[in-house]
Amino acid sequence: VQLQASGGGLVQVGGSLRLSCAASGSTSNINAMAWYRQAPGMQRTLVARITNNNMYNYSDFVKGRFTISRDSAWNTLYLQMNSLKPEDTAVYYCNREMLERGGLNNYWGQGTQVTVSS
């Protein structure tokens, strides 16, 4: 599995960005895909997640502002980010959970930097 995130950049407060994650590899045993973020000196935290039965969950700090979506083939994952705040500044990572050998394996992309300026 390879994941390539893109779409980050510098944006002003209140602006929008759309992140994309191009994925390759097997799709037959995907459990979920998600976006995480990590600010300097902080732990990586879940932003939004979509499961293989189309269940969505969002962290409280992005509810109503961010939307996760994917294409039908699980080849691309998106994160539409609106009403951006300075505290959204972080490196955003794409994640794929795979059911393999009786367990869950996590795969990560390289991250894309999002900077929100006030």
Side-chain angles (χ1 to χ4, degrees):
V1 175
Q2 290 190 328
L3 304 170
Q4 181 75 35
S6 62
L10 175 65
V11 64
Q12 291 188 330
V13 169
S16 298
L17 282 175
R18 190 190 196 203
L19 306 184
S20 298
C21 174
S24 62
S26 173
T27 59
S28 61
N29 51 345
I30 291 176
N31 186 63
M33 289 192 73
W35 289 98
Y36 286 73
R37 72 186 189 188
Q38 187 169 19
M42 306 293 286
Q43 288 188 333
R44 192 173 297 187
T45 58
L46 177 68
V47 175
R49 181 174 179 266
I50 178 171
T51 69
N52 59 7
N53 58 353
N54 289 323
M55 297 292 290
Y56 296 78
N57 63 289
Y58 293 90
S59 295
D60 287 344
F61 48 79
V62 303
K63 279 181 181 177
R65 300 188 298 123
F66 292 10
T67 303
I68 189 172
S69 62
R70 63 171 181 88
D71 71 343
S72 59
W74 290 94
N75 289 329
T76 310
L77 184 72
Y78 302 99
L79 185 68
Q80 178 65 43
M81 306 187 294
N82 299 327
S83 303
L84 283 161
K85 305 176 181 179
E87 51 264 44
D88 295 319
T89 295
V91 178
Y92 284 71
Y93 295 91
C94 176
N95 167 269
R96 177 179 276 189
E97 299 172 21
M98 303 288 287
L99 290 164
E100 297 175 331
R101 295 179 292 278
L104 273 178
N105 285 327
N106 280 284
Y107 295 86
W108 298 92
Q110 86 291 356
T112 185
Q113 175 71 48
V114 172
T115 303
V116 184
S117 66
S118 55

